[in-house]
């Protein structure tokens, strides 16, 4: 109903780099947590975060968020 996917994508484009980094970390963690549910929205939202970082030519935002998410989950 409505346009929740486009609304989320628009939200990402309006974020500062710091906000985007936090969103990336959260979506990476949630996507991993939902690994038993391939239809979870967290998967496409994590992909959208990656795409937004790529669109900004700032892959380091996503890569650093991924490292922090792994660290917070206790994964080496």
């Amino acid at each position: 109903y409505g346009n929740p996917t486009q609304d989320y994508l628009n939200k990402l484009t309006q974020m500062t780099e710091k906000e985007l980094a936090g969103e990336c970390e959260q979506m990476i963690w949630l996507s991993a947590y939902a690994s038993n549910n391939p239809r979870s929205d967290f998967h496409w939202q994590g992909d959208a975060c990656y795409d937004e970082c790529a669109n900004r030519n700032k892959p380091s935002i996503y890569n650093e968020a991924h490292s922090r998410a792994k660290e917070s989950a206790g994964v080496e």
Side-chain angles (χ1 to χ4, degrees), residues 5-6 9 15 18 21-22 26 32 34 42-44 48-49 51-52 56-57 62 65 67-68 70-72 75:
T5 302
Q6 190 60 54
L9 297 175
M15 289 182 173
K18 184 176 181 179
Q26 183 178 18
F42 297 128
H43 302 308
W44 72 260
C49 287
D51 292 342
E52 179 59 25
R56 295 183 187 199
N57 293 317
Y62 187 88
S67 294
R68 286 191 306 277
K70 280 178 51 177
E71 185 177 304
S72 71
V75 177

Side-chain angles (χ1 to χ4, degrees), residues 51-68:
D51 292 342
E52 179 59 25
C53 292
N55 288 341
R56 295 183 187 199
N57 293 317
K58 299 275 187 160
S60 62
I61 294 173
Y62 187 88
N63 294 336
E64 291 168 12
H66 188 271
S67 294
R68 286 191 306 277

Side-chain angles (χ1 to χ4, degrees), residues 12-32:
L12 291 178
T13 64
Q14 300 302 313
M15 289 182 173
T16 65
E17 288 185 11
K18 184 176 181 179
E19 291 168 335
L20 180 59
E23 185 73 7
C24 287
E25 183 177 349
Q26 183 178 18
M27 289 304 116
I28 291 165
W29 193 93
L30 289 169
S31 178

